[in-house]
Amino acid sequence: MAEFFPDVKKIEYEGAESKNPLSFKHYNAAEEVEGKTMQEHFRFGVAYWHTMRGEGADPFGPGTALRPWEGADDVANAQNRARVFFEFLEKLGAPFYCFHDRDVAPEGESLAESNDNLDAVVSVLKEEQDRTGLQLLWGTANLFSNPRYMHGAATSCNADAFAFAAAQVKKMIEVTKELGGTNYVFWGGREGYQNLWNTDMKREMDHLATFMHMAIDYAKQIGFTGQFLFEPKPKEPTKHQYDFDAAACINFIRANGLEDHIKLNLETNHATLAGHTMEHELEYAGSQGFLGSMDANTGDLLLGWDTDQFPTDIYLTTKCMLAILKHGGLAPGGVNFDAKVRRESHEPIDLFHAHIGGMDAFARGLKIAAAIRADGRLENFVKERYGSWDTGIGKDIEGGQASFESLDAYMLDKGEGAPNASGRQEFLENLINEFI
Ligand code: XLS
Ligand code: NI
Ligand code: NI
């Protein structure tokens, strides 16, 4: 079989002292941390859309990427591209991948033609999965690129757009099931509004709930047991996306009786755009029982859009891993690199540098987070900070044995409350730096 990355051998773990840029310094798939291998902790996934379809275009210029395997935008080339992708995955050593229907196969003149094109490429994906043992982390449908979705898909003012989107998601749930995908993602591409003058918000959100119930019913009907995930994002492309952040998504999910069926796929750059940190989003979702998976791309703090950069910040990966370990891990979700190389990094080898760096940054974050947890000082500090809730009046309140009247009597008797202890923020920031 032809090799598309002839200069790259399988990327191996060589340890922190290695100077080989095509090796892992920290990601060692088989190494155990807190009783699980790194491979099991991360379940790294590669995004087909950025890695195989990203051309490096921006609003000021066309694509720059050199991709010698590219040809016509037809099914034959799409099948060949799928084989290139699996060579990349194998050499990188990432066990999972993710894709949208329209990433892998060209859209046809009609729904039926598009489905046929998709089937033709899915059979190659299946073959390659069987050959390599690599797996699908999640599938999804592109409900935002085609002009029919200019007003949204499930929230469009045009009922036919809703119907077309339903047909697309139906097909992609079938495909995800066929490929053994462990999750299915809903990122609400254009589910939001540009202007409230022309928008019936209540009706649009009710339609979105109807759409989700139909998806759940269909998954049940065909026996798809993968986890459904919502991916919050506050804006872009619309001015306001309904899946704004973890809290807004969880409210929508609960308000519509969907809580037994949907968790969240959190994306770092989306958290930033929502005015949150990623650790906030992970902590919020985790504490509410909705932590599903993550898209690990980051943004640029000076740029207000979704720049989809590979994560290299060790503080960030440490904070992410602290939250993920605390909430019991991501499986059946994983860490998907919804990230693209910069327009100036246009050679195929840059795809390797980018993913290796991201995987190493997460591996370091995991080791640091595990060391912080093993040390125990941070956890103990937090535990002690809430000590007043473990005995006496605090325990009574948490246990449901107090009322406004009993607390009034308690405070009248006591006169003034216990003094406050220091929050010790600077002490804790220094403590974390001992580990980084
Ligand atoms: C866009 C989203 C998208 C989803 C999949 O900002 O991150 O790439 O992850 O549709
Ligand atoms: Ni994403
Ligand atoms: Ni994004």
Side-chain angles (χ1 to χ4, degrees):
M1 198 209 254
E3 262 194 279
F4 301 97
F5 303 97
D7 304 333
V8 183
K9 291 198 270 302
K10 172 121 180 56
I11 309 297
E12 304 286 356
Y13 170 70
E14 293 184 6
E17 300 308 314
S18 171
K19 297 283 180 268
N20 173 9
L22 294 178
S23 73
F24 293 116
K25 317 287 186 296
H26 299 277
Y27 179 67
N28 182 6
E31 185 177 327
E32 289 204 2
V33 178
E34 292 199 11
K36 269 198 292 188
T37 65
M38 287 200 186
Q39 171 143 335
E40 289 165 333
H41 275 289
F42 296 119
R43 300 162 58 82
F44 282 123
V46 176
Y48 202 96
W49 53 103
H50 287 311
T51 298
M52 297 315 286
R53 306 311 306 274
E55 295 171 347
D58 73 10
F60 302 96
T64 54
L66 300 174
R67 301 290 183 254
W69 54 82
E70 280 302 331
D73 189 18
D74 59 16
V75 170
N77 189 55
Q79 291 176 319
N80 184 55
R81 188 190 290 124
R83 297 203 167 92
V84 178
F85 183 59
F86 272 80
E87 183 189 325
F88 177 79
L89 288 180
E90 264 194 295
K91 287 188 166 170
L92 179 67
F96 290 95
Y97 71 105
C98 304
F99 71 96
H100 304 81
D101 48 1
R102 303 300 179 242
D103 306 334
V104 296
E107 184 151 15
E109 294 293 321
S110 65
L111 178 63
E113 200 185 303
S114 298
N115 287 347
D116 288 347
N117 291 352
L118 182 56
D119 286 337
V121 181
V122 167
S123 65
V124 176
L125 295 172
K126 184 105 198 332
E127 242 174 71
E128 290 292 292
Q129 284 190 193
D130 292 344
R131 182 180 68 75
T132 59
L134 301 172
Q135 288 174 266
L136 180 63
L137 185 64
W138 47 264
T140 188
N142 178 328
L143 307 179
F144 43 90
S145 296
N146 190 295
R148 86 173 66 85
Y149 298 124
M150 63 166 70
H151 300 295
T155 65
S156 177
C157 49
N158 177 352
D160 271 6
F162 182 108
F164 204 108
Q168 245 184 284
V169 170
K170 171 181 177 289
K171 177 70 181 167
M172 261 316 282
I173 294 175
E174 291 163 11
V175 164
T176 302
K177 175 176 186 253
E178 186 181 340
L179 294 174
T182 49
N183 303 269
Y184 185 94
V185 162
F186 293 84
W187 170 58
R190 294 181 192 275
E191 313 295 22
Y193 62 81
Q194 298 291 9
N195 193 307
L196 277 176
W197 291 128
N198 64 12
T199 303
D200 187 334
M201 189 194 276
K202 170 83 168 76
R203 209 164 176 182
E204 292 197 359
M205 295 190 74
D206 286 349
H207 293 165
L208 184 58
T210 302
F211 193 91
M212 290 313 302
H213 280 290
M214 288 180 180
I216 289 160
D217 289 347
Y218 189 66
K220 196 165 167 205
Q221 190 183 320
I222 67 165
F224 173 66
T225 53
Q227 176 65 52
F228 276 176
L229 299 168
F230 265 4
E231 183 174 319
K233 182 172 184 179
K235 55 190 166 193
E236 193 205 80
T238 69
K239 165 203 179 100
H240 175 93
Q241 304 258 142
Y242 293 135
D243 297 337
F244 193 93
D245 59 2
C249 283
I250 292 171
N251 178 59
F252 176 87
I253 289 168
R254 288 196 178 124
N256 291 289
L258 298 162
E259 58 274 22
D260 293 337
H261 307 281
I262 307 176
K263 289 194 162 119
L264 301 184
N265 179 41
L266 299 168
E267 178 164 314
T268 316
N269 200 167
H270 297 177
T272 313
L273 293 177
H276 300 311
T277 58
M278 183 57 165
E279 60 270 26
H280 165 93
E281 289 290 85
L282 289 165
E283 186 58 36
Y284 190 87
S287 64
Q288 298 293 314
F290 283 84
L291 181 56
S293 199
M294 83 179 278
D295 277 4
N297 49 304
T298 62
D300 184 314
L301 291 179
L302 301 183
L303 299 175
W305 67 89
D306 200 9
T307 57
D308 292 327
Q309 289 169 232
F310 281 84
T312 54
D313 179 339
I314 312 294
Y315 272 94
L316 172 70
T317 57
T318 298
K319 290 175 189 169
C320 289
M321 291 318 298
L322 275 172
I324 289 168
L325 290 174
K326 175 175 170 189
H327 295 293
L330 293 173
V335 178
N336 168 46
F337 291 111
D338 185 359
K340 62 185 177 218
V341 290
R342 296 306 87 193
R343 188 169 189 265
E344 304 79 11
S345 307
H346 63 302
E347 297 174 2
I349 195 75
D350 291 307
L351 295 171
F352 280 96
H353 293 307
H355 287 87
I356 290 169
M359 290 162 80
D360 262 348
F362 264 90
R364 278 184 84 175
L366 170 64
K367 288 191 265 185
I368 295 167
I372 293 170
R373 283 158 58 86
D375 172 80
R377 277 177 288 166
L378 180 66
E379 198 190 343
N380 283 340
F381 180 87
V382 177
K383 197 172 177 314
E384 277 169 27
R385 185 162 185 246
Y386 292 87
S388 69
W389 295 90
D390 294 334
T391 55
I393 195 73
K395 196 174 180 194
D396 289 350
I397 299 171
E398 280 196 354
Q401 277 123 35
S403 65
F404 268 17
E405 282 164 321
S406 73
L407 295 179
D408 181 49
Y410 165 78
M411 222 60 238
L412 282 172
D413 181 50
K414 203 166 179 189
E416 182 51 84
N420 283 313
S422 167
R424 297 260 189 271
Q425 180 175 323
E426 298 77 6
F427 163 85
L428 294 171
E429 287 165 343
N430 300 347
L431 178 87
I432 296 300
N433 275 353
E434 279 183 34
F435 295 87
I436 297 209

